[in-house]
Amino acid sequence: SEYTDLVPKPMVMIGGKPILWHIMQIYARFDHKDFFVALGYKSEVIKKYFLNYHQLNSDFMVDLSSGVVNQYGGNHVDWKVNLVNTGEKSMTGGRVKRMQPFIGNETFMLTYGDGIGTVDINRLEHLHLKHGGIGTVTGVHPPSRFGEMVIQGDKVKQFEEKSQLSTGIINGGFFMFNKKIFDYLTPDEGCDFEFGPLQKLASEGELRVYKHDGFWQCMDTIRERDYLSRLWDSGNPPWMRW
């Protein structure tokens, strides 16, 4: 909330780039570069970022007498980014349903805009296509909020600032679905995604899990934002080095 009065959560910066950019980098690593972003709260912030992306990531010269801009250099990406308004107050299920005209009958991947990790997208896709069910969710070990110590007697043998707990699996937010998921959703603003549709898929045996044991971190608090920023500032963040 310290930031999201001004920008939507996917635009909170990690190392000078919005977390949305970091998530897209994960998919691009596996050659998935055609993105559809479901917009809602403060959609104009995300639109402006991508409209100006080329300029923001380039050097350029402005001829003030004519207004001509010449760009040169820069570090660019070959992504296609589709920005679609899905309602300022829509919940997650309604947003996904409103993307149906753009997705059509294709199998597609889906993720939230506030979590990153070393999820192997190829393995997720392989499992999904192999089991033939409607959906696959990535299960992750939740990170410890306060860090974790491994002790032997009265000696600390290992200390981790924010380790992945060895027990428990939660929804990591990286999904894959076929077109039948849309039958479980409505375009209503109040249509949630997890409470209702995913529960029904699970009860019908149509939801499988891809277990991810590597790094994963959500960004719900300023503490978590600062933690991700420190990882980035180290020069070797885990979600960029695998």
Side-chain angles (χ1 to χ4, degrees):
S1 64
E2 293 88 347
Y3 292 96
T4 52
D5 284 342
L6 301 174
V7 299
K9 191 194 290 188
M11 294 303 293
V12 173
M13 296 292 176
I14 304 295
K17 300 283 188 181
I19 192 171
L20 177 59
W21 178 89
H22 293 275
I23 294 169
M24 295 165 80
Q25 283 283 1
I26 294 170
Y27 281 95
R29 178 182 293 271
F30 294 93
D31 206 33
H32 293 284
K33 302 177 181 180
D34 193 6
F35 298 99
F36 290 81
V37 184
L39 303 177
Y41 175 70
K42 292 191 178 295
S43 61
E44 69 279 3
V45 177
I46 299 178
K47 286 183 175 180
K48 288 177 181 178
Y49 177 77
F50 284 107
L51 278 174
N52 297 318
Y53 185 89
H54 212 274
Q55 289 84 354
L56 291 172
N57 291 274
S58 299
D59 297 325
F60 56 86
M61 180 278 291
V62 181
D63 187 333
L64 297 182
S65 65
S66 64
V68 172
V69 178
N70 292 321
Q71 298 180 13
Y72 50 89
N75 183 18
H76 302 300
V77 292
D78 57 345
W79 307 343
K80 294 181 179 179
V81 183
N82 301 268
L83 302 168
V84 182
N85 276 315
T86 54
E88 183 174 351
K89 298 182 180 179
S90 295
M91 297 184 72
T92 48
R95 294 192 189 285
V96 177
K97 179 65 174 180
R98 294 180 186 193
M99 299 299 287
Q100 185 175 3
F102 301 92
I103 297 169
N105 294 324
E106 294 187 45
T107 297
F108 65 99
M109 295 177 180
L110 170 71
T111 192
Y112 301 141
D114 60 358
I116 51 180
T118 54
V119 178
D120 190 318
I121 302 299
N122 284 347
R123 290 185 177 181
L124 169 62
E125 181 178 19
H126 176 76
L127 175 63
H128 177 78
L129 297 178
K130 182 179 179 180
H131 68 64
I134 293 176
T136 304
V137 56
T138 298
V140 300
H141 298 284
S144 170
R145 181 181 176 189
F146 298 107
E148 191 174 62
M149 293 187 296
V150 178
I151 62 175
Q152 186 176 34
D154 62 352
K155 293 183 178 180
V156 178
K157 304 296 290 184
Q158 185 177 348
F159 184 90
E160 296 291 340
E161 179 187 4
K162 191 180 281 283
S163 63
Q164 303 296 129
L165 298 180
S166 58
T167 59
I169 297 290
I170 65 171
N171 169 14
F174 287 78
F175 301 90
M176 192 165 186
F177 295 101
N178 66 34
K179 64 179 181 179
K180 294 181 181 178
I181 184 60
F182 294 116
D183 296 335
Y184 293 74
L185 305 171
T186 71
D188 302 332
E189 286 186 348
C191 178
D192 195 8
F193 189 61
E194 295 185 5
F195 299 103
L198 290 190
Q199 291 174 327
K200 188 175 182 181
L201 281 181
S203 68
E204 295 176 357
E206 291 288 346
L207 184 65
R208 308 294 180 88
V209 62
Y210 165 66
K211 295 180 181 179
H212 169 65
D213 294 322
F215 172 84
W216 177 86
Q217 177 64 53
C218 63
M219 188 192 65
D220 289 327
T221 66
I222 192 169
R223 178 187 179 122
E224 291 165 340
R225 193 292 309 263
D226 291 346
Y227 172 64
L228 290 171
S229 294
R230 288 198 302 272
L231 290 177
W232 180 267
D233 292 341
S234 72
N236 196 24
W239 65 92
M240 296 292 286
R241 66 173 181 246
W242 43 288

